[in-house]
Amino acid sequence: MDRIAAAKRALSLLDLTSLESKDDDASTERLCLRASNPEGHVAAVCVWPRLVKQAKSFLKNPAIKVAAVAVFPDGALDRGRMEAETKTILHYGGDEVDLVFPWQGFHDGKQDEAIAQVAGCKAICGSKKLKVILETGELKEPRLIEAAGLAAITGGADFLKTSTGKTSVSATPEAAEILLTLIRKSGKPVGFKASGGIRTLDQAIVYLDMADRIMGPGWASPTNFRFGASSLLDALLAELRGTSVANKKDG
């Protein structure tokens, strides 16, 4: 894959993310300013529910969506918390909800409750996109990753997302392969988001090539595919501006 074309493509698929406890109005404004560049704009910014209103006001490009997280990062089986946070996101104009799947409860045998929490969130979201974060690095086993992905799809997920980025193992090609294959087999219009630990163009290309191979060329568009990251933007812009380390000549 041509590196410039790949960088442009990855930029258009990026959910530019900031989920630090100290995030505030000022940091959200800085995030939104980074979201649109002469080289192109990201698909969305992803923030805390309490900062959705600010993000909507700071973004000047209406094509950039505002996503926010719910039950983040722990993914507790807590219907009340899920409902409150999801409603907050939508009340302030959020376009997309990134819900942490109750993976611990699912792992402990509470599969029906986990599916019900996803379904409840989707019922609140309505036509807004629901991305379900499976925390694949904690589920670890391929059979559990696949089972959690299937449960999320059953509950109405519009996207399967790998990770919160807050655990020791985040997105991996192995987990992505499992989830993309599951999506293809399901036959449903479910997207995929690789999130956590993706910092370089070379890493992004691995996931783009995989999506092309499993889902078909052209499937990985902002409608169906996202990268959740913060530092990846700098790497992509460096490539597009000809200032990346890979493009610099010796001497």
Side-chain angles (χ1 to χ4, degrees), residues 86-146:
T86 302
K87 289 177 180 178
T88 295
I89 294 167
L90 300 182
H91 174 74
Y92 288 117
D95 303 295
E96 302 173 354
V97 174
D98 286 36
L99 171 73
V100 183
F101 184 72
W103 61 271
Q104 295 183 76
F106 183 84
H107 184 276
D108 294 339
K110 298 179 180 178
Q111 288 90 352
D112 290 344
E113 293 94 325
I115 293 172
Q117 184 149 307
V118 173
C121 188
K122 181 56 185 173
I124 298 170
C125 289
S127 62
K128 301 292 180 75
K129 285 192 186 299
L130 171 60
K131 308 190 203 94
V132 177
I133 309 170
L134 298 172
E135 206 68 286
T136 55
E138 293 297 309
L139 291 172
K140 298 177 183 177
E141 297 179 26
R143 64 176 184 83
L144 287 176
I145 294 171
E146 183 177 22

Side-chain angles (χ1 to χ4, degrees), residues 7 34 36 48 65 75 89 94 105 107 173 186 206 223 227 246 248:
R34 295 178 66 216
S36 191
W48 294 105
K65 306 297 185 183
I89 294 167
H107 184 276
S186 76
V206 169
T223 301
F227 290 110
K248 289 181 180 178

Side-chain angles (χ1 to χ4, degrees), residues 12 62 69 119 126 133 157 200 220 243 245:
S12 73
V69 292
I133 309 170
T200 69
T243 58
V245 172

Side-chain angles (χ1 to χ4, degrees), residues 216-240:
W219 179 85
S221 69
T223 301
N224 298 318
F225 188 102
R226 302 284 180 85
F227 290 110
S230 53
S231 58
L232 178 60
L233 175 62
D234 292 331
L236 299 177
L237 292 177
E239 191 74 39
L240 293 169

Side-chain angles (χ1 to χ4, degrees), residues 36-188:
S36 191
N37 298 272
E39 294 78 12
H41 63 78
V42 303
V45 296
C46 186
V47 298
W48 294 105
R50 59 184 168 82
L51 293 170
V52 168
K53 183 178 180 180
Q54 293 89 324
K56 293 291 288 189
S57 67
F58 291 137
L59 283 171
K60 305 307 179 186
N61 187 338
I64 302 174
K65 306 297 185 183
V66 174
V69 292
V71 200
F72 187 94
D74 53 295
L77 262 175
D78 187 334
R79 187 69 173 262
R81 178 181 165 194
M82 176 277 291
E83 291 180 352
E85 292 178 359
T86 302
K87 289 177 180 178
T88 295
I89 294 167
L90 300 182
H91 174 74
Y92 288 117
D95 303 295
E96 302 173 354
V97 174
D98 286 36
L99 171 73
V100 183
F101 184 72
W103 61 271
Q104 295 183 76
F106 183 84
H107 184 276
D108 294 339
K110 298 179 180 178
Q111 288 90 352
D112 290 344
E113 293 94 325
I115 293 172
Q117 184 149 307
V118 173
C121 188
K122 181 56 185 173
I124 298 170
C125 289
S127 62
K128 301 292 180 75
K129 285 192 186 299
L130 171 60
K131 308 190 203 94
V132 177
I133 309 170
L134 298 172
E135 206 68 286
T136 55
E138 293 297 309
L139 291 172
K140 298 177 183 177
E141 297 179 26
R143 64 176 184 83
L144 287 176
I145 294 171
E146 183 177 22
L150 181 59
I153 292 173
T154 301
D158 297 303
F159 266 71
L160 300 183
K161 177 178 172 181
T162 57
S163 319
T164 60
K166 301 295 185 181
T167 56
S168 59
V169 178
S170 293
T172 65
E174 293 78 13
E177 179 103 19
I178 292 168
L179 296 179
L180 284 166
T181 301
L182 174 64
I183 290 168
R184 178 174 55 79
K185 289 180 178 178
S186 76
K188 296 185 177 181

